[in-house]
Amino acid sequence: MKQRAVKLMQGYLWLPRELEWDPEKELPATIELSEVSASLLLDEVEPPFAFFDDGTPSASQRFYQLTIVVMSDLDQHELHPLAQELEEKLRPALETAPAGVGWLLLEDLREL
């Protein structure tokens, strides 16, 4: 089977506008997994909603779309273990981010 670009995970990262923390410098651009290297792509985006559940305006935050991509010839159902491994390796970097940084990351497994 021919290698193709596949999203393993996609989601959002947000932080208060006044927080001087740069996710592009603090998060790894490449994450080594058991079978492949995953690339973390960050794009600053407009908030995808107006308010958080607690009523905080989303305009008070900087939002980034996170997309994590691999080149793989694995079948879609074979990619799930890689997504789990990726989450285990990325979670510590997200959890050590400063207070106020939030994220939502979901398994995607779609070909680009």
Side-chain angles (χ1 to χ4, degrees):
M1 187 183 273
K2 173 177 144 177
Q3 287 219 336
R4 66 214 189 283
V6 178
K7 283 192 258 182
L8 282 184
M9 303 192 103
Q10 185 152 351
Y12 293 100
L13 178 119
W14 57 90
L15 56 139
R17 290 197 177 276
E18 67 275 1
L19 184 62
E20 292 187 27
W21 186 78
D22 185 350
E24 294 187 58
K25 291 180 182 172
E26 300 297 332
L27 296 177
T30 304
I31 301 158
E32 295 300 323
L33 303 175
S34 58
E35 298 182 35
V36 294
S37 293
S39 297
L40 184 136
L41 309 172
L42 282 167
D43 296 297
E44 193 162 358
V45 296
E46 292 296 317
F49 47 84
F51 295 94
F52 288 93
D53 289 344
D54 67 359
T56 303
S58 60
S60 67
Q61 308 287 306
R62 289 189 342 244
F63 272 79
Y64 294 86
Q65 183 171 353
L66 279 78
T67 306
I68 302 162
V69 179
V70 295
M71 292 297 293
S72 176
D73 61 356
L74 294 174
D75 191 72
Q76 187 177 20
H77 72 276
E78 296 174 304
L79 292 168
H80 177 71
L82 285 178
Q84 287 179 312
E85 181 184 355
L86 172 68
E87 184 177 5
E88 290 171 12
K89 290 191 173 192
L90 185 57
R91 183 170 292 281
L94 292 169
E95 288 177 345
T96 58
V101 174
W103 73 91
L104 172 66
L105 201 53
L106 303 168
E107 189 172 296
D108 196 318
L109 306 182
R110 285 187 287 170
E111 193 170 329
L112 295 174

